[in-house]
Each structure stands twice: as C-alpha cells, then as structure tokens.
Amino acid sequence: CDTNTKPHLLAVYLKENQCSDMTLSSLLTVSLFIVKIIESVTNNLHLYVGMHIGQRIRSRVISLVFEKYMITRPDLRPTTGEVLSIATSEGQMFVESLQYVNFCWTGILQIILGMYFLHDMFGIWGVLGVLCFAAYIPLCVLLSKVSKKARAKRKLQADIRIRLCSEMLLGIKVIKYFSWELPYLKRIDECRKQEVKLVRNEILVTAMLWVCCVIFPMMGMAVSIIGYIHNGGEIHISTMFGVVGIYTSLRFPIIQMG
C-alpha cells in the first residue's frame, strides 16, 4: 500500500507546491519520508522472515529426501548425482517462493489502489492503461509454461551428463586399464553440448519475459496519457510525476502475479 501511496503523495505535493501553501507542502514532505521508512522496514523484514523460513524448509526437505534414499533398495535407487541435483534445485524453490507468498493478496490490493489513483488523475483512461499493462499476466503464464518445459529438458540432459561423470569416476581404474578415457570424454562432451543448447533456449525465453516486462508498462502508460490528452485533458507536471510513479510501483506486483 505504501508503494502506491508515494506517487499519489508526490503528485499532491507538486500540485500544492505550485499554490505556495508551505504548511501543506511541508506536511506532504514529511509524509513521503515516513512512507518511505515504513516501506523499507516492512519490505526488508518480510524478505528476511521469508528467506529464513524457506532455508529451514529447504534443509529439512533435502534431509528427508536422503533419508528416504538410504532406506530404499539399492536396485531401485536412482544415482546419487541425480538425487542431489533434483533435491538442491527443487528445494531452492521453497526459499524463492516463500519470500513472495504474500503477493497473492498484496499484489491484487496494490493493483486496485493503483487503478483508483489513476482513475482519480486520468479518469477511465487510467483504468484502461492498467488493464493494458495487466495483459502481461497471461503472456507471462504462457512463456512460463514454455520455460518450464525447457527447464525439464535441460534437467534431464544434465542428469545424463552427471550419470556419465559418476560412472567414469566410480570405474576410473577399469577405464584407465582399457584406455577408455577418450570415448568417455567424447560422450560427456556431446551431452554437455546438448545441455548448453537447452540452456540457451531457456535463457531466450527468460529474455523475452524481461523484454515484455519493460514494454508493457510503457504501453499502458502511453494508453493512459494519449487517451487522456485526446479527450481534452490537460497534463501538468504533478500529474506526470504521479502517473510515472504509479506505473513504476505497479510493475513489481503485476510481474510477480505473472
């Protein structure tokens, strides 16, 4: 809430400052300072608690995975490298997700407040701009599914490479005896090349997400400003600072919801 409040307070401050009302301007300045302190303290506390809990859950999950691995029949066990790779990568999701779990409701609240403040400044064009920006969410969901498939293929290829490395290290005496170093290195190098291709595809999808993250806020802002001016509205410096600040604050919750 404080993230959306700052741009509105800034817009009111600039508007009142033009009227030379020093008392109200001073009050708004102090309000901006207080809101910024509250935002910094609460955000850092929330991230600290989420990361602390996520690290504890991650450690416990990895411990349970290896406890189950030790009591499983040897002929049914996957390789140690495969278990370690999956446990560490999937366990890290607890650390990353718990830091942002509260955005399930705070993100919606921030978007509603942002639409209210933009409607107060630009009328219906402010709401249309936010809806245009929110079109990023279904696109992000689609690209996330593509990224998930690419990540699954990359993990499968990484498991094959790790299995080959484990076999080579465990049977190093036999490999040295029969001079099989070069064939094994060739197989590992081929697996690594395939893995690099899959990593490149995953990075390209991530790059597309970041490009959309930059384009959609600018597109929503352009819709609001151009539509407002086209319908006879007047743009002041206080309005421009306010709308830029609100769209900047809306970027993070919309991206997290996507």
Side-chain angles (χ1 to χ4, degrees), residues 46 96-106:
H46 167 251
E96 297 173 358
S97 61
L98 286 177
Q99 296 181 58
Y100 305 107
V101 67
N102 283 337
F103 283 99
C104 294
W105 65 273
T106 58

Side-chain angles (χ1 to χ4, degrees), residues 65-160:
V65 168
F66 276 96
E67 286 179 7
K68 180 65 175 178
Y69 177 79
M70 295 302 295
I71 63 176
T72 305
R73 286 171 49 189
D75 57 332
L76 298 178
R77 289 179 185 174
T79 61
T80 306
E82 184 179 357
V83 174
L84 182 61
S85 175
I86 295 175
T88 53
S89 61
E90 299 297 331
Q92 184 64 23
M93 292 185 179
F94 288 103
V95 181
E96 297 173 358
S97 61
L98 286 177
Q99 296 181 58
Y100 305 107
V101 67
N102 283 337
F103 283 99
C104 294
W105 65 273
T106 58
I108 298 175
L109 181 60
Q110 289 183 32
I111 293 173
I112 292 173
L113 288 175
M115 292 176 67
Y116 171 76
F117 290 138
L118 286 171
H119 184 271
D120 186 43
M121 294 179 184
F122 284 165
I124 190 62
W125 290 103
V127 178
L128 292 177
V130 175
L131 294 177
C132 183
F133 183 15
Y136 170 81
I137 296 176
L139 179 61
C140 182
V141 171
L142 178 62
L143 291 177
S144 297
K145 291 181 179 179
V146 177
S147 177
K148 186 177 180 181
K149 292 180 180 178
R151 189 181 301 114
K153 292 181 181 179
R154 190 255 303 169
K155 287 182 179 179
L156 182 61
Q157 191 66 33
D159 292 339
I160 296 174

